[in-house]
Amino acid sequence: MNDTRKRLGDLLVDAGLLTEEQLSIALKEKQKGQKLGDALLERGYITEQQLIEVLEFQLGIPHVSLYRFPFDQKLVKLVPKEMAKRNLLIPIKIDGDRLFVAMADPMDFYAIDDLRLATGFQIETAIASKDDILRAINKYYEIDDSMSDIMNELTAQNDVEEEKITSEDSPIVRLVNQMLQNAVQQKASDIHIDPQETKVLIRLRVDGVLKNERTFPKHMQSVLTARLKIMANLDITEHRVPQDGRIKMHIDFHPIDLRVSTLPTVYGEKIVMRILDLGSTLNDLNKLGFNSLNQKRFMNLIENPTGIVLITGPTGSGKSSTLYAALNHLNSEAVNIITIEDPVEYQLEGINQIQVNSNVGMTFAKGLRSILRQDPNIIMVGEIRDRETADIAVRASLTGHLVLSTLHTNDSLGTITRLMDMGVEPFLVASSLTGVVAQRLVRKVCRDCATEQPPTKREMEIFAKRGLSIDKIIRGRGCGTCNMTGYKGRLAIHELLVLNDEMKRVIMNNESLSKLRELATKNKTIFLIDDGLLKVKQGLTTTEEILRVAVAE
């Protein structure tokens, strides 16, 4: 088996998909029993599609894309769901006494043997990607059964029986579990359940963009809502006021945390669930996509013993991930780190995290005051929302603490005016604020269907305006891996403003923003749009994505 692995690595190097250096790193860091292919995927050196193409060539086993594959429903009954899930395989067609099966690992001879004994067919294998197989299993094994069952069981009357919503075997429970599983699998960040006049719409936010997933008939709305409320420990009899809750569960042996929010609308309660995948937190500053100059500056900022570092951007722009990565970098036994958050999203070992609870009067300001009596070195405040919190944060930084926090503003310079609007004195802003990071998330071009294109005239103008040139743009054609969108995954673009003495003087004298902008440009600040366009040049994203989140001045 070892020489097969070696050949796989050599093939990838020969194909130009991997460098010798990356191969040796992967071989060195590969955990015991882990396949080389998995180790390479984990580090992001190659995509699953590239691995499959090389395996297809190496093993002589055909590759099949299950996206829009014409499945025969009867075949699904041949292989039990547990077996399909455990071994990552799905039957695709029968030809005489041969059963064709798509597998993530066609070298898994034990699974092939089991399958031959269970079905009595000769097994022919094809390679498919793991995501493809899981998506197909979810689609064909579960949701349709649950849908037909629940439709039969649920009459048009809105009778919500306790047993129906809590018993693990009831159709509504299976349906909700299925819906959550599907969302996690598509790497969605949010699930929206939108009640409308005649139907209930389920939408998923994948890579920052909402898409319709499926529609349920209107009479299922009450049981669906009741089930989700029971899971989140909310009051199922209260429909008139918004409620917030949490659901903790394991999906495919993965710990998942869901933040649930309900909102009364004219057609019933709208429910939004934010999915926090506890297994894939971004804890490494090097993986956040910082430009090399920005990364160096950000490291200097957070390694300062005092001052305030603010991270700004709209909701869902990855501010928390950047904060957690910074805390993770600073976390050591020599410092006392205390955070106050609303809510605590990810639990970090070795860090004291406090949850805001306004019902008992535990606000950001009150918590922050108490933290200062706990001898902290580094304080993280989830969000500065009001003057009181801002004042205490400023005073904490002036008395020798490093304060990290977030603020909702559009760009780094807007943060300074926002703090002054809150009522913080200009001299306090100037003396406490050391740096501001403005951040947005943009979708990455799918690596499996990326193609080169010449830039349009408009694109060339946009680049020229920012003093950059461009000769080719990378765009995704759309394939099964990225659900025909041309994008897969996201990366952050940053604008990092480091306040120097000149800027602090301008702030103290309450001078105009344009003066600050001049000084920032002189200080080689990379603005959001510039960082974005540089990432377009590297072929990581597209101009449309950058203009969706950053304004071209």
Side-chain angles (χ1 to χ4, degrees):
M1 189 71 189
N2 274 341
D3 59 329
T4 318
R5 284 183 191 165
K6 180 173 170 290
R7 283 211 306 274
L8 171 67
D10 292 343
L11 275 171
L12 287 163
V13 172
D14 294 344
L17 299 172
L18 202 61
T19 63
E20 289 281 2
E21 188 189 352
Q22 287 173 328
L23 178 61
S24 60
I25 290 173
L27 284 167
K28 212 180 302 163
E29 294 180 7
K30 187 164 65 94
Q31 280 137 9
K32 201 168 183 228
Q34 192 184 24
K35 296 193 177 78
L36 174 63
D38 292 341
L40 293 169
L41 288 176
E42 213 172 84
R43 282 169 187 72
Y45 292 155
I46 54 169
T47 69
E48 201 164 1
Q49 204 59 34
Q50 290 166 336
L51 177 66
I52 284 173
E53 279 162 18
V54 171
L55 280 174
E56 182 178 16
F57 173 70
Q58 182 200 12
L59 306 171
I61 294 175
H63 151 234
V64 55
S65 168
L66 304 179
Y67 188 78
R68 298 203 176 129
F69 191 89
F71 273 92
D72 181 355
Q73 286 290 342
K74 291 189 212 77
L75 279 185
V76 172
K77 306 244 183 321
L78 272 177
V79 180
K81 183 183 113 192
E82 277 66 36
M83 189 177 192
K85 255 194 164 151
R86 190 176 60 241
N87 299 312
L88 288 175
L89 53 85
I90 191 162
I92 46 180
K93 67 171 185 180
I94 289 182
D95 184 5
D97 65 342
R98 294 181 304 163
L99 173 66
F100 287 81
V101 179
M103 299 180 74
D105 177 12
M107 301 300 286
D108 186 346
F109 299 117
Y110 293 115
I112 295 171
D113 253 8
D114 288 351
L115 202 56
R116 196 181 69 240
L117 291 169
T119 60
F121 284 95
Q122 286 301 318
I123 305 299
E124 295 280 339
T125 55
I127 311 179
S129 76
K130 195 167 155 185
D131 282 353
D132 238 4
I133 290 176
L134 280 172
R135 205 179 295 144
I137 291 174
N138 273 354
K139 196 167 171 188
Y140 294 100
Y141 271 96
E142 291 177 359
I143 204 135
D144 300 320
D145 302 349
S146 304
M147 276 299 287
S148 51
D149 285 358
I150 200 164
M151 299 308 243
N152 298 338
E153 288 192 27
L154 282 175
T155 50
Q157 296 105 36
N158 291 344
D159 58 333
V160 180
E161 291 170 28
E162 182 75 21
E163 194 195 344
K164 270 189 186 169
I165 310 172
T166 49
S167 145
E168 279 304 312
D169 298 331
S170 81
I172 185 66
V173 173
R174 293 210 310 275
L175 184 80
V176 169
N177 291 348
Q178 177 52 42
M179 189 172 75
L180 297 178
Q181 200 164 13
N182 196 20
V184 169
Q185 205 175 328
Q186 292 193 39
K187 296 194 167 52
S189 59
D190 302 83
I191 306 171
H192 288 239
I193 295 164
D194 292 343
Q196 295 177 351
E197 192 173 3
T198 56
K199 58 181 190 265
V200 181
L201 198 60
I202 309 292
R203 295 191 294 167
L204 299 182
R205 189 180 289 281
V206 179
D207 290 341
V209 179
L210 275 170
K211 66 181 184 86
N212 287 355
E213 182 61 18
R214 62 185 312 126
T215 312
F216 290 144
K218 185 72 176 171
H219 68 258
M220 281 174 58
Q221 182 180 326
S222 55
V223 270
L224 192 58
T225 310
R227 172 63 191 155
L228 288 167
K229 281 178 152 185
I230 280 180
M231 288 172 81
N233 284 330
L234 301 178
D235 180 356
I236 66 168
T237 58
E238 181 56 82
H239 309 289
R240 299 157 303 174
V241 293
Q243 297 185 62
D244 290 309
R246 291 189 94 131
I247 300 173
K248 272 187 159 61
M249 62 193 302
H250 278 75
I251 291 180
D252 291 339
F253 313 108
H254 223 48
I256 301 287
D257 206 346
L258 297 155
R259 280 202 343 235
V260 183
S261 161
T262 73
L263 186 72
T265 69
V266 276
Y267 296 124
E269 285 174 288
K270 172 178 165 71
I271 298 179
V272 177
M273 292 181 276
R274 161 67 57 92
I275 301 171
L276 302 169
D277 185 345
L278 303 176
S280 68
T281 54
L282 277 173
N283 284 337
D284 190 350
L285 274 178
N286 303 318
K287 289 185 183 153
L288 292 179
F290 271 110
N291 173 305
S292 53
L293 172 68
N294 279 350
Q295 174 137 3
K296 205 162 83 198
R297 287 179 166 182
F298 187 62
M299 288 294 199
N300 290 341
L301 279 180
I302 62 172
E303 282 165 4
N304 265 341
T306 63
I308 296 183
V309 179
L310 290 177
I311 299 180
T312 76
T315 311
S317 57
K319 300 189 293 290
S320 304
S321 295
T322 307
L323 270 181
Y324 281 124
L327 286 179
N328 218 36
H329 173 73
L330 297 168
N331 191 5
S332 73
E333 64 174 64
V335 291
N336 176 17
I337 303 178
I338 306 183
T339 76
I340 176 156
E341 307 165 59
D342 180 23
V344 173
E345 288 188 9
Y346 298 112
Q347 278 131 23
L348 300 175
E349 210 172 314
I351 291 178
N352 310 288
Q353 293 170 285
I354 303 170
Q355 167 91 39
V356 166
N357 184 349
S358 45
N359 297 338
V360 293
M362 177 64 164
T363 59
F364 275 120
K366 192 166 183 184
L368 197 44
R369 273 207 189 89
S370 318
I371 288 176
L372 291 173
R373 296 196 280 277
Q374 291 275 325
D375 179 34
N377 299 90
I378 297 162
I379 300 168
M380 191 266 261
V381 184
E383 191 187 329
I384 293 180
R385 291 180 184 167
D386 51 39
R387 178 181 177 168
E388 198 182 357
T389 314
D391 275 341
I392 304 166
V394 165
R395 286 189 166 68
S397 73
L398 293 175
T399 51
H401 304 92
L402 174 65
V403 180
L404 304 173
S405 187
T406 68
L407 199 65
H408 286 265
T409 57
N410 287 332
D411 57 6
S412 55
L413 293 166
T415 307
I416 293 159
T417 44
R418 176 91 177 90
L419 283 170
M420 292 183 193
D421 282 349
M422 276 183 176
V424 182
E425 295 292 342
F427 73 91
L428 285 176
V429 174
S431 46
S432 62
L433 195 63
T434 52
V436 183
V437 182
Q439 174 170 324
R440 298 286 186 284
L441 288 178
V442 291
R443 292 184 292 171
K444 275 199 293 198
V445 172
C446 170
R447 279 162 66 179
D448 291 332
C449 59
T451 50
E452 280 185 20
Q453 290 180 4
T456 62
K457 189 161 173 275
R458 172 86 182 108
E459 281 175 322
M460 286 161 90
E461 280 170 15
I462 292 166
F463 273 84
K465 210 169 169 184
R466 306 299 299 176
L468 298 164
S469 64
I470 180 97
D471 47 6
K472 65 172 194 282
I473 297 264
I474 307 283
R475 276 198 179 80
R477 282 190 315 273
C479 62
T481 314
C482 59
N483 268 334
M484 302 316 269
T485 57
Y487 297 102
K488 181 131 174 87
R490 289 193 288 176
L491 82 157
I493 58 171
H494 303 92
E495 169 176 311
L496 206 160
L497 179 72
V498 179
L499 273 76
N500 58 19
D501 293 342
E502 274 183 277
M503 289 184 198
K504 291 186 173 187
R505 205 169 300 119
V506 167
I507 295 170
M508 273 165 130
N509 298 338
N510 228 335
E511 291 179 44
S512 69
L513 257 186
S514 51
K515 187 86 173 50
L516 264 180
R517 187 174 287 281
E518 271 170 45
L519 289 173
T521 311
K522 207 165 94 183
N523 197 22
K524 294 196 170 60
T525 300
I526 300 170
F527 291 103
L528 265 180
I529 183 94
D530 301 325
D531 191 34
L533 294 178
L534 286 169
K535 285 184 169 130
V536 174
K537 259 184 96 105
Q538 291 167 3
L540 297 173
T541 183
T542 62
T543 326
E544 297 85 32
E545 275 297 294
I546 300 303
L547 296 180
R548 188 169 64 85
V549 296
V551 184
E553 290 142 28

